[in-house]
Amino acid sequence: MVPSSSWRRSVRIGRVGIGWGMLGGMEFLSSRVILRAREPERTLAFYRDTLGLAVYREFPGGTVFFTGNGLIEVSGHGSGGPGEGVVLWLQVRDLAETARVLEQRNVEIVREARQEPWGLLEMWIADPDGLRIVLVEIPSEHPLRKDQRN
């Protein structure tokens, strides 16, 4: 069902409009990344205990974690590892402090923190199945932190 015109909203990003009614009436209410781990208990412990993510929901065979304004679900069982084109992007407040905590928890840093050409500070780790996780800090002077309204 397409929302009535009084419910239609659109978000303007530059000159591009995104909103209800602009994609053939599709309305997406929520999303999450679902991980099918080779060793579910090990992966569950990594996200819950090592990264310290808060639990959103638990159900038989799965756990869903909060990640800021997103969700990660660890459920089911997978036989292969993630593809190289799949990367999990998690924003943190303080990358140096995050690195310190991860080192204390014996998490291997796949790539040390550095500032990227696009201005973000990024460090890479991986989960037990080898899924690359990019930890990102947005510096205070970065355009993403600036009010873009005219």
Side-chain angles (χ1 to χ4, degrees):
M1 179 174 147
V2 177
S4 69
S5 61
S6 64
W7 282 92
R8 291 179 196 227
R9 295 187 253 182
S10 91
V11 177
R12 304 293 294 167
I13 303 173
R15 300 176 75 145
V16 178
I18 301 171
W20 294 346
M22 297 180 152
L23 298 173
M26 289 187 284
E27 181 181 357
F28 302 99
L29 301 177
S30 182
S31 67
R32 70 177 69 163
V33 174
I34 300 175
L35 304 178
R36 303 281 192 231
R38 287 183 289 219
E39 297 179 49
E41 288 304 316
R42 183 175 173 209
T43 300
L44 180 65
F46 176 79
Y47 287 97
R48 181 192 58 221
D49 305 330
T50 304
L51 294 187
L53 297 180
V55 173
Y56 168 71
R57 178 174 181 255
E58 293 179 291
F59 55 91
T63 301
V64 181
F65 297 99
F66 284 108
T67 57
N69 64 353
L71 299 169
I72 295 174
E73 176 181 319
V74 177
S75 64
H77 186 272
S79 58
E84 287 201 21
V86 178
V87 177
L88 185 58
W89 190 94
L90 298 175
Q91 181 183 347
V92 299
R93 190 171 309 279
D94 184 333
L95 194 56
E97 175 64 15
T98 300
R100 188 186 65 72
V101 171
L102 290 172
E103 287 170 357
Q104 287 178 342
R105 295 179 182 174
N106 297 315
V107 174
E108 178 187 357
I109 307 299
V110 175
R111 197 197 78 186
E112 295 293 325
R114 67 178 180 218
Q115 188 160 21
E116 298 293 347
W118 44 90
L120 299 178
L121 301 170
E122 295 186 3
M123 176 179 68
W124 300 353
I125 62 173
D127 80 358
D129 281 336
L131 174 63
R132 284 186 303 153
I133 301 171
V134 179
L135 300 171
V136 178
E137 177 183 334
I138 302 172
S140 60
E141 68 279 359
H142 194 277
L144 287 174
R145 295 260 189 152
K146 305 275 188 238
D147 187 343
Q148 300 297 316
R149 297 174 287 184
N150 292 331

